[in-house]
Amino acid sequence: MTIFLSCALMSLKLWQLSDLAIPLMAMLLSQVLFIALFVKFLLFRVMGRNYEAAVMAAGTCGFGLGATPNAIANMSVMVERFGPAPTAFFVIPLIGALIVDFVNSSIVTVLLNLLA
């Protein structure tokens, strides 16, 4: 697997991707804006506007902009810096690691069957 990734990355012709730089930046900025607004105005308030809600919001930011390891890293930094949040530390990784995989595969299967 490592050799395949190395070969694939070495064979990339980055100058051919330069036309996609502006659309990729626009998508990245819109994703960051959306997750920030979602976390600040919806998630943090719904979760109770307390410290555990802040830890879950940090995890959601990591998950929304990356993957489950990003969520765990964000939550770990919050817990190391400000103290433990036992309930919050299990919610986001559990959703990101387990539930999303099944839900995503189900949604993709249903949409492919509807659109095919």
Side-chain angles (χ1 to χ4, degrees):
M1 183 67 154
T2 307
I3 295 173
F4 170 74
L5 288 175
S6 300
C7 292
L9 289 172
M10 286 175 29
S11 66
L12 277 177
K13 298 173 184 153
L14 294 177
W15 60 89
Q16 293 176 342
L17 299 175
S18 64
D19 294 337
L20 298 175
I22 293 173
L24 284 173
M25 287 302 291
M27 286 190 295
L28 177 65
L29 291 175
S30 65
Q31 185 176 0
V32 168
L33 179 66
F34 174 76
I35 198 74
L37 293 174
F38 172 75
V39 165
K40 180 176 172 104
F41 293 112
L42 185 69
L43 184 82
F44 182 68
R45 294 171 194 254
V46 169
M47 291 296 150
R49 299 179 67 163
N50 57 14
Y51 173 63
E52 287 193 353
V55 174
M56 284 190 270
T60 302
C61 287
F63 186 71
L65 297 175
T68 305
N70 295 25
I72 293 172
N74 284 0
M75 294 171 77
S76 296
V77 168
M78 290 280 293
V79 167
E80 286 175 13
R81 195 169 200 189
F82 301 109
T87 306
F89 202 76
F90 294 105
V91 174
I92 300 298
L94 177 68
I95 291 170
L98 299 175
I99 297 171
V100 167
D101 293 335
F102 296 115
V103 171
N104 189 26
S105 62
S106 302
I107 290 171
V108 168
T109 303
V110 167
L111 288 176
L112 284 175
N113 287 330
L114 287 175
L115 298 175

mmCIF file of all heavy atoms in Angstrom, residues 19-65:
data_model
loop_
_atom_site.group_PDB
_atom_site.id
_atom_site.type_symbol
_atom_site.label_atom_id
_atom_site.label_comp_id
_atom_site.label_asym_id
_atom_site.label_seq_id
_atom_site.Cartn_x
_atom_site.Cartn_y
_atom_site.Cartn_z
ATOM 1 N N ASP A 19 -5.688 24.533 -12.741
ATOM 2 C CA ASP A 19 -7.000 25.112 -13.064
ATOM 3 C C ASP A 19 -8.030 24.849 -11.970
ATOM 4 O O ASP A 19 -9.043 25.534 -11.892
ATOM 5 C CB ASP A 19 -7.526 24.544 -14.385
ATOM 6 C CG ASP A 19 -6.673 24.958 -15.574
ATOM 7 O OD1 ASP A 19 -5.986 25.992 -15.466
ATOM 8 O OD2 ASP A 19 -6.691 24.243 -16.594
ATOM 9 N N LEU A 20 -7.776 23.841 -11.149
ATOM 10 C CA LEU A 20 -8.723 23.495 -10.091
ATOM 11 C C LEU A 20 -8.440 24.195 -8.770
ATOM 12 O O LEU A 20 -9.167 24.002 -7.797
ATOM 13 C CB LEU A 20 -8.697 21.978 -9.859
ATOM 14 C CG LEU A 20 -9.109 21.118 -11.050
ATOM 15 C CD1 LEU A 20 -8.911 19.661 -10.720
ATOM 16 C CD2 LEU A 20 -10.547 21.395 -11.428
ATOM 17 N N ALA A 21 -7.403 25.008 -8.709
ATOM 18 C CA ALA A 21 -7.021 25.642 -7.447
ATOM 19 C C ALA A 21 -8.126 26.557 -6.918
ATOM 20 O O ALA A 21 -8.465 26.501 -5.729
ATOM 21 C CB ALA A 21 -5.721 26.418 -7.617
ATOM 22 N N ILE A 22 -8.689 27.391 -7.763
ATOM 23 C CA ILE A 22 -9.723 28.327 -7.311
ATOM 24 C C ILE A 22 -11.000 27.598 -6.883
ATOM 25 O O ILE A 22 -11.533 27.867 -5.808
ATOM 26 C CB ILE A 22 -9.991 29.402 -8.379
ATOM 27 C CG1 ILE A 22 -8.743 30.283 -8.515
ATOM 28 C CG2 ILE A 22 -11.217 30.232 -8.030
ATOM 29 C CD1 ILE A 22 -8.798 31.280 -9.632
ATOM 30 N N PRO A 23 -11.511 26.631 -7.676
ATOM 31 C CA PRO A 23 -12.695 25.900 -7.198
ATOM 32 C C PRO A 23 -12.437 25.118 -5.902
ATOM 33 O O PRO A 23 -13.304 25.068 -5.024
ATOM 34 C CB PRO A 23 -13.025 24.943 -8.342
ATOM 35 C CG PRO A 23 -12.418 25.553 -9.542
ATOM 36 C CD PRO A 23 -11.215 26.287 -9.069
ATOM 37 N N LEU A 24 -11.246 24.539 -5.761
ATOM 38 C CA LEU A 24 -10.937 23.813 -4.531
ATOM 39 C C LEU A 24 -10.879 24.748 -3.326
ATOM 40 O O LEU A 24 -11.368 24.409 -2.243
ATOM 41 C CB LEU A 24 -9.619 23.057 -4.672
ATOM 42 C CG LEU A 24 -9.670 21.781 -5.508
ATOM 43 C CD1 LEU A 24 -8.270 21.224 -5.711
ATOM 44 C CD2 LEU A 24 -10.559 20.749 -4.862
ATOM 45 N N MET A 25 -10.297 25.915 -3.502
ATOM 46 C CA MET A 25 -10.254 26.886 -2.403
ATOM 47 C C MET A 25 -11.658 27.371 -2.044
ATOM 48 O O MET A 25 -11.973 27.542 -0.868
ATOM 49 C CB MET A 25 -9.361 28.073 -2.778
ATOM 50 C CG MET A 25 -7.887 27.753 -2.769
ATOM 51 S SD MET A 25 -7.300 27.143 -1.189
ATOM 52 C CE MET A 25 -7.444 28.596 -0.191
ATOM 53 N N ALA A 26 -12.499 27.572 -3.055
ATOM 54 C CA ALA A 26 -13.875 27.996 -2.796
ATOM 55 C C ALA A 26 -14.629 26.922 -2.009
ATOM 56 O O ALA A 26 -15.365 27.229 -1.057
ATOM 57 C CB ALA A 26 -14.590 28.308 -4.099
ATOM 58 N N MET A 27 -14.449 25.656 -2.393
ATOM 59 C CA MET A 27 -15.114 24.571 -1.666
ATOM 60 C C MET A 27 -14.586 24.457 -0.242
ATOM 61 O O MET A 27 -15.358 24.250 0.702
ATOM 62 C CB MET A 27 -14.927 23.241 -2.402
ATOM 63 C CG MET A 27 -15.769 23.123 -3.645
ATOM 64 S SD MET A 27 -15.785 21.470 -4.359
ATOM 65 C CE MET A 27 -14.097 21.265 -4.850
ATOM 66 N N LEU A 28 -13.283 24.594 -0.071
ATOM 67 C CA LEU A 28 -12.696 24.512 1.265
ATOM 68 C C LEU A 28 -13.205 25.640 2.165
ATOM 69 O O LEU A 28 -13.610 25.402 3.301
ATOM 70 C CB LEU A 28 -11.172 24.555 1.180
ATOM 71 C CG LEU A 28 -10.432 24.542 2.507
ATOM 72 C CD1 LEU A 28 -10.664 23.240 3.249
ATOM 73 C CD2 LEU A 28 -8.955 24.778 2.286
ATOM 74 N N LEU A 29 -13.218 26.853 1.644
ATOM 75 C CA LEU A 29 -13.693 27.988 2.436
ATOM 76 C C LEU A 29 -15.178 27.857 2.774
ATOM 77 O O LEU A 29 -15.594 28.178 3.884
ATOM 78 C CB LEU A 29 -13.414 29.293 1.713
ATOM 79 C CG LEU A 29 -11.933 29.682 1.615
ATOM 80 C CD1 LEU A 29 -11.771 30.935 0.766
ATOM 81 C CD2 LEU A 29 -11.345 29.887 2.990
ATOM 82 N N SER A 30 -15.977 27.373 1.822
ATOM 83 C CA SER A 30 -17.402 27.200 2.104
ATOM 84 C C SER A 30 -17.627 26.092 3.130
ATOM 85 O O SER A 30 -18.508 26.207 3.986
ATOM 86 C CB SER A 30 -18.183 26.920 0.822
ATOM 87 O OG SER A 30 -17.787 25.692 0.258
ATOM 88 N N GLN A 31 -16.818 25.037 3.096
ATOM 89 C CA GLN A 31 -16.945 23.972 4.082
ATOM 90 C C GLN A 31 -16.564 24.476 5.470
ATOM 91 O O GLN A 31 -17.243 24.181 6.455
ATOM 92 C CB GLN A 31 -16.065 22.788 3.690
ATOM 93 C CG GLN A 31 -16.229 21.595 4.582
ATOM 94 C CD GLN A 31 -15.426 20.394 4.116
ATOM 95 O OE1 GLN A 31 -14.733 20.436 3.113
ATOM 96 N NE2 GLN A 31 -15.515 19.321 4.865
ATOM 97 N N VAL A 32 -15.493 25.248 5.559
ATOM 98 C CA VAL A 32 -15.077 25.807 6.852
ATOM 99 C C VAL A 32 -16.148 26.758 7.389
ATOM 100 O O VAL A 32 -16.506 26.710 8.572
ATOM 101 C CB VAL A 32 -13.710 26.521 6.725
ATOM 102 C CG1 VAL A 32 -13.397 27.342 7.960
ATOM 103 C CG2 VAL A 32 -12.607 25.508 6.462
ATOM 104 N N LEU A 33 -16.680 27.607 6.524
ATOM 105 C CA LEU A 33 -17.727 28.542 6.944
ATOM 106 C C LEU A 33 -18.972 27.794 7.415
ATOM 107 O O LEU A 33 -19.542 28.110 8.467
ATOM 108 C CB LEU A 33 -18.073 29.491 5.800
ATOM 109 C CG LEU A 33 -19.168 30.496 6.090
ATOM 110 C CD1 LEU A 33 -18.706 31.477 7.162
ATOM 111 C CD2 LEU A 33 -19.557 31.230 4.822
ATOM 112 N N PHE A 34 -19.387 26.779 6.651
ATOM 113 C CA PHE A 34 -20.586 26.022 7.016
ATOM 114 C C PHE A 34 -20.409 25.318 8.352
ATOM 115 O O PHE A 34 -21.287 25.375 9.213
ATOM 116 C CB PHE A 34 -20.944 25.007 5.929
ATOM 117 C CG PHE A 34 -22.081 24.113 6.333
ATOM 118 C CD1 PHE A 34 -23.379 24.587 6.327
ATOM 119 C CD2 PHE A 34 -21.847 22.815 6.739
ATOM 120 C CE1 PHE A 34 -24.435 23.781 6.716
ATOM 121 C CE2 PHE A 34 -22.883 21.999 7.134
ATOM 122 C CZ PHE A 34 -24.176 22.481 7.120
ATOM 123 N N ILE A 35 -19.284 24.632 8.557
ATOM 124 C CA ILE A 35 -19.110 23.889 9.804
ATOM 125 C C ILE A 35 -18.988 24.849 10.984
ATOM 126 O O ILE A 35 -19.490 24.568 12.070
ATOM 127 C CB ILE A 35 -17.914 22.904 9.722
ATOM 128 C CG1 ILE A 35 -18.007 21.843 10.828
ATOM 129 C CG2 ILE A 35 -16.594 23.599 9.829
ATOM 130 C CD1 ILE A 35 -19.021 20.816 10.605
ATOM 131 N N ALA A 36 -18.358 26.004 10.784
ATOM 132 C CA ALA A 36 -18.248 26.988 11.869
ATOM 133 C C ALA A 36 -19.625 27.522 12.264
ATOM 134 O O ALA A 36 -19.945 27.622 13.455
ATOM 135 C CB ALA A 36 -17.329 28.128 11.456
ATOM 136 N N LEU A 37 -20.441 27.862 11.277
ATOM 137 C CA LEU A 37 -21.789 28.355 11.568
ATOM 138 C C LEU A 37 -22.665 27.273 12.194
ATOM 139 O O LEU A 37 -23.410 27.529 13.146
ATOM 140 C CB LEU A 37 -22.440 28.896 10.296
ATOM 141 C CG LEU A 37 -21.809 30.156 9.708
ATOM 142 C CD1 LEU A 37 -22.451 30.498 8.374
ATOM 143 C CD2 LEU A 37 -21.902 31.308 10.676
ATOM 144 N N PHE A 38 -22.558 26.067 11.679
ATOM 145 C CA PHE A 38 -23.335 24.946 12.207
ATOM 146 C C PHE A 38 -22.984 24.686 13.668
ATOM 147 O O PHE A 38 -23.873 24.533 14.518
ATOM 148 C CB PHE A 38 -23.078 23.694 11.362
ATOM 149 C CG PHE A 38 -23.677 22.444 11.933
ATOM 150 C CD1 PHE A 38 -25.039 22.206 11.849
ATOM 151 C CD2 PHE A 38 -22.879 21.494 12.556
ATOM 152 C CE1 PHE A 38 -25.605 21.062 12.380
ATOM 153 C CE2 PHE A 38 -23.422 20.346 13.088
ATOM 154 C CZ PHE A 38 -24.790 20.124 13.001
ATOM 155 N N VAL A 39 -21.690 24.652 13.970
ATOM 156 C CA VAL A 39 -21.256 24.359 15.332
ATOM 157 C C VAL A 39 -21.618 25.490 16.282
ATOM 158 O O VAL A 39 -22.122 25.258 17.379
ATOM 159 C CB VAL A 39 -19.735 24.060 15.355
ATOM 160 C CG1 VAL A 39 -19.177 24.111 16.752
ATOM 161 C CG2 VAL A 39 -19.461 22.715 14.719
ATOM 162 N N LYS A 40 -21.381 26.729 15.851
ATOM 163 C CA LYS A 40 -21.614 27.867 16.748
ATOM 164 C C LYS A 40 -23.098 28.110 17.012
ATOM 165 O O LYS A 40 -23.506 28.309 18.154
ATOM 166 C CB LYS A 40 -20.984 29.130 16.160
ATOM 167 C CG LYS A 40 -21.190 30.335 17.049
ATOM 168 C CD LYS A 40 -20.484 31.539 16.513
ATOM 169 C CE LYS A 40 -20.862 32.755 17.285
ATOM 170 N NZ LYS A 40 -19.879 33.211 18.201
ATOM 171 N N PHE A 41 -23.909 28.106 15.970
ATOM 172 C CA PHE A 41 -25.298 28.513 16.140
ATOM 173 C C PHE A 41 -26.279 27.370 16.366
ATOM 174 O O PHE A 41 -27.373 27.597 16.854
ATOM 175 C CB PHE A 41 -25.753 29.344 14.934
ATOM 176 C CG PHE A 41 -25.052 30.658 14.848
ATOM 177 C CD1 PHE A 41 -24.166 30.920 13.819
ATOM 178 C CD2 PHE A 41 -25.252 31.632 15.815
ATOM 179 C CE1 PHE A 41 -23.514 32.138 13.742
ATOM 180 C CE2 PHE A 41 -24.604 32.843 15.752
ATOM 181 C CZ PHE A 41 -23.727 33.095 14.711
ATOM 182 N N LEU A 42 -25.905 26.146 16.030
ATOM 183 C CA LEU A 42 -26.855 25.054 16.204
ATOM 184 C C LEU A 42 -26.352 24.026 17.223
ATOM 185 O O LEU A 42 -26.963 23.842 18.277
ATOM 186 C CB LEU A 42 -27.148 24.373 14.869
ATOM 187 C CG LEU A 42 -28.210 23.290 14.915
ATOM 188 C CD1 LEU A 42 -29.565 23.905 15.184
ATOM 189 C CD2 LEU A 42 -28.229 22.526 13.624
ATOM 190 N N LEU A 43 -25.245 23.397 16.942
ATOM 191 C CA LEU A 43 -24.785 22.284 17.765
ATOM 192 C C LEU A 43 -24.487 22.693 19.203
ATOM 193 O O LEU A 43 -24.951 22.051 20.143
ATOM 194 C CB LEU A 43 -23.553 21.633 17.137
ATOM 195 C CG LEU A 43 -23.067 20.398 17.872
ATOM 196 C CD1 LEU A 43 -23.888 19.202 17.461
ATOM 197 C CD2 LEU A 43 -21.611 20.159 17.619
ATOM 198 N N PHE A 44 -23.709 23.751 19.384
ATOM 199 C CA PHE A 44 -23.331 24.179 20.732
ATOM 200 C C PHE A 44 -24.565 24.518 21.558
ATOM 201 O O PHE A 44 -24.663 24.163 22.736
ATOM 202 C CB PHE A 44 -22.388 25.377 20.650
ATOM 203 C CG PHE A 44 -21.896 25.856 21.983
ATOM 204 C CD1 PHE A 44 -21.035 25.083 22.743
ATOM 205 C CD2 PHE A 44 -22.298 27.084 22.486
ATOM 206 C CE1 PHE A 44 -20.580 25.521 23.981
ATOM 207 C CE2 PHE A 44 -21.832 27.534 23.706
ATOM 208 C CZ PHE A 44 -20.985 26.744 24.454
ATOM 209 N N ARG A 45 -25.544 25.154 20.956
ATOM 210 C CA ARG A 45 -26.768 25.528 21.683
ATOM 211 C C ARG A 45 -27.634 24.310 21.995
ATOM 212 O O ARG A 45 -28.183 24.196 23.082
ATOM 213 C CB ARG A 45 -27.564 26.543 20.884
ATOM 214 C CG ARG A 45 -26.836 27.860 20.757
ATOM 215 C CD ARG A 45 -27.537 28.785 19.768
ATOM 216 N NE ARG A 45 -26.683 29.887 19.419
ATOM 217 C CZ ARG A 45 -26.850 31.115 19.859
ATOM 218 N NH1 ARG A 45 -27.839 31.395 20.679
ATOM 219 N NH2 ARG A 45 -26.028 32.065 19.487
ATOM 220 N N VAL A 46 -27.752 23.411 21.029
ATOM 221 C CA VAL A 46 -28.577 22.219 21.238
ATOM 222 C C VAL A 46 -27.963 21.304 22.292
ATOM 223 O O VAL A 46 -28.684 20.686 23.080
ATOM 224 C CB VAL A 46 -28.772 21.460 19.902
ATOM 225 C CG1 VAL A 46 -29.382 20.093 20.108
ATOM 226 C CG2 VAL A 46 -29.626 22.272 18.953
ATOM 227 N N MET A 47 -26.643 21.243 22.360
ATOM 228 C CA MET A 47 -25.962 20.366 23.309
ATOM 229 C C MET A 47 -25.922 20.925 24.726
ATOM 230 O O MET A 47 -25.428 20.266 25.629
ATOM 231 C CB MET A 47 -24.540 20.071 22.846
ATOM 232 C CG MET A 47 -24.466 19.212 21.627
ATOM 233 S SD MET A 47 -25.140 17.587 21.969
ATOM 234 C CE MET A 47 -25.757 17.145 20.388
ATOM 235 N N GLY A 48 -26.391 22.145 24.941
ATOM 236 C CA GLY A 48 -26.523 22.648 26.299
ATOM 237 C C GLY A 48 -25.664 23.835 26.673
ATOM 238 O O GLY A 48 -25.700 24.264 27.815
ATOM 239 N N ARG A 49 -24.867 24.355 25.772
ATOM 240 C CA ARG A 49 -24.045 25.542 26.009
ATOM 241 C C ARG A 49 -23.190 25.417 27.272
ATOM 242 O O ARG A 49 -23.102 26.335 28.066
ATOM 243 C CB ARG A 49 -24.929 26.784 26.096
ATOM 244 C CG ARG A 49 -25.699 27.038 24.831
ATOM 245 C CD ARG A 49 -26.554 28.238 24.957
ATOM 246 N NE ARG A 49 -25.650 29.395 25.062
ATOM 247 C CZ ARG A 49 -26.004 30.636 24.870
ATOM 248 N NH1 ARG A 49 -27.249 30.908 24.589
ATOM 249 N NH2 ARG A 49 -25.148 31.615 24.976
ATOM 250 N N ASN A 50 -22.552 24.274 27.464
ATOM 251 C CA ASN A 50 -21.659 24.078 28.596
ATOM 252 C C ASN A 50 -20.311 23.536 28.084
ATOM 253 O O ASN A 50 -20.067 23.496 26.887
ATOM 254 C CB ASN A 50 -22.285 23.139 29.634
ATOM 255 C CG ASN A 50 -22.661 21.798 29.057
ATOM 256 O OD1 ASN A 50 -22.246 21.436 27.961
ATOM 257 N ND2 ASN A 50 -23.472 21.062 29.790
ATOM 258 N N TYR A 51 -19.470 23.130 29.017
ATOM 259 C CA TYR A 51 -18.128 22.677 28.638
ATOM 260 C C TYR A 51 -18.172 21.419 27.776
ATOM 261 O O TYR A 51 -17.442 21.290 26.802
ATOM 262 C CB TYR A 51 -17.288 22.431 29.889
ATOM 263 C CG TYR A 51 -15.958 21.807 29.591
ATOM 264 C CD1 TYR A 51 -15.013 22.482 28.823
ATOM 265 C CD2 TYR A 51 -15.640 20.549 30.059
ATOM 266 C CE1 TYR A 51 -13.794 21.912 28.528
ATOM 267 C CE2 TYR A 51 -14.416 19.978 29.783
ATOM 268 C CZ TYR A 51 -13.501 20.663 29.012
ATOM 269 O OH TYR A 51 -12.299 20.094 28.718
ATOM 270 N N GLU A 52 -19.034 20.474 28.125
ATOM 271 C CA GLU A 52 -19.138 19.261 27.316
ATOM 272 C C GLU A 52 -19.632 19.583 25.915
ATOM 273 O O GLU A 52 -19.219 18.953 24.950
ATOM 274 C CB GLU A 52 -20.036 18.236 28.004
ATOM 275 C CG GLU A 52 -19.363 17.610 29.200
ATOM 276 C CD GLU A 52 -20.099 16.387 29.701
ATOM 277 O OE1 GLU A 52 -21.197 16.094 29.210
ATOM 278 O OE2 GLU A 52 -19.540 15.725 30.583
ATOM 279 N N ALA A 53 -20.505 20.561 25.784
ATOM 280 C CA ALA A 53 -20.954 20.986 24.461
ATOM 281 C C ALA A 53 -19.796 21.576 23.666
ATOM 282 O O ALA A 53 -19.695 21.376 22.451
ATOM 283 C CB ALA A 53 -22.079 22.006 24.588
ATOM 284 N N ALA A 54 -18.905 22.292 24.339
ATOM 285 C CA ALA A 54 -17.737 22.855 23.663
ATOM 286 C C ALA A 54 -16.800 21.756 23.182
ATOM 287 O O ALA A 54 -16.246 21.834 22.070
ATOM 288 C CB ALA A 54 -17.000 23.809 24.593
ATOM 289 N N VAL A 55 -16.627 20.717 23.988
ATOM 290 C CA VAL A 55 -15.774 19.597 23.579
ATOM 291 C C VAL A 55 -16.403 18.873 22.395
ATOM 292 O O VAL A 55 -15.717 18.517 21.433
ATOM 293 C CB VAL A 55 -15.522 18.638 24.764
ATOM 294 C CG1 VAL A 55 -14.762 17.406 24.322
ATOM 295 C CG2 VAL A 55 -14.759 19.355 25.866
ATOM 296 N N MET A 56 -17.714 18.679 22.432
ATOM 297 C CA MET A 56 -18.386 18.041 21.301
ATOM 298 C C MET A 56 -18.334 18.923 20.057
ATOM 299 O O MET A 56 -18.209 18.426 18.943
ATOM 300 C CB MET A 56 -19.830 17.712 21.670
ATOM 301 C CG MET A 56 -19.931 16.504 22.568
ATOM 302 S SD MET A 56 -21.602 15.922 22.778
ATOM 303 C CE MET A 56 -22.096 16.862 24.194
ATOM 304 N N ALA A 57 -18.398 20.224 20.238
ATOM 305 C CA ALA A 57 -18.290 21.141 19.100
ATOM 306 C C ALA A 57 -16.899 21.050 18.482
ATOM 307 O O ALA A 57 -16.767 21.055 17.250
ATOM 308 C CB ALA A 57 -18.577 22.563 19.551
ATOM 309 N N ALA A 58 -15.869 20.965 19.314
ATOM 310 C CA ALA A 58 -14.511 20.810 18.790
ATOM 311 C C ALA A 58 -14.380 19.502 18.022
ATOM 312 O O ALA A 58 -13.764 19.448 16.947
ATOM 313 C CB ALA A 58 -13.499 20.865 19.926
ATOM 314 N N GLY A 59 -14.968 18.436 18.535
ATOM 315 C CA GLY A 59 -14.945 17.159 17.837
ATOM 316 C C GLY A 59 -15.698 17.212 16.523
ATOM 317 O O GLY A 59 -15.264 16.641 15.522
ATOM 318 N N THR A 60 -16.817 17.904 16.513
ATOM 319 C CA THR A 60 -17.593 18.037 15.280
ATOM 320 C C THR A 60 -16.818 18.831 14.237
ATOM 321 O O THR A 60 -16.864 18.508 13.041
ATOM 322 C CB THR A 60 -18.946 18.698 15.567
ATOM 323 O OG1 THR A 60 -19.633 17.907 16.532
ATOM 324 C CG2 THR A 60 -19.790 18.809 14.321
ATOM 325 N N CYS A 61 -16.098 19.855 14.663
ATOM 326 C CA CYS A 61 -15.256 20.603 13.722
ATOM 327 C C CYS A 61 -14.199 19.693 13.113
ATOM 328 O O CYS A 61 -13.963 19.719 11.907
ATOM 329 C CB CYS A 61 -14.584 21.782 14.414
ATOM 330 S SG CYS A 61 -15.701 23.122 14.793
ATOM 331 N N GLY A 62 -13.561 18.885 13.941
ATOM 332 C CA GLY A 62 -12.555 17.959 13.432
ATOM 333 C C GLY A 62 -13.146 16.929 12.502
ATOM 334 O O GLY A 62 -12.568 16.599 11.457
ATOM 335 N N PHE A 63 -14.312 16.417 12.844
ATOM 336 C CA PHE A 63 -14.959 15.420 11.995
ATOM 337 C C PHE A 63 -15.479 16.050 10.708
ATOM 338 O O PHE A 63 -15.374 15.469 9.639
ATOM 339 C CB PHE A 63 -16.097 14.740 12.750
ATOM 340 C CG PHE A 63 -16.711 13.609 12.005
ATOM 341 C CD1 PHE A 63 -16.017 12.423 11.837
ATOM 342 C CD2 PHE A 63 -17.966 13.731 11.455
ATOM 343 C CE1 PHE A 63 -16.575 11.373 11.139
ATOM 344 C CE2 PHE A 63 -18.530 12.689 10.758
ATOM 345 C CZ PHE A 63 -17.838 11.496 10.600
ATOM 346 N N GLY A 64 -16.032 17.243 10.807
ATOM 347 C CA GLY A 64 -16.594 17.899 9.625
ATOM 348 C C GLY A 64 -15.552 18.358 8.633
ATOM 349 O O GLY A 64 -15.810 18.450 7.439
ATOM 350 N N LEU A 65 -14.354 18.649 9.108
ATOM 351 C CA LEU A 65 -13.292 19.111 8.218
ATOM 352 C C LEU A 65 -12.253 18.035 7.945
ATOM 353 O O LEU A 65 -11.278 18.298 7.249
ATOM 354 C CB LEU A 65 -12.611 20.345 8.810
ATOM 355 C CG LEU A 65 -13.527 21.554 8.961
ATOM 356 C CD1 LEU A 65 -12.806 22.680 9.674
ATOM 357 C CD2 LEU A 65 -14.033 22.015 7.607
#
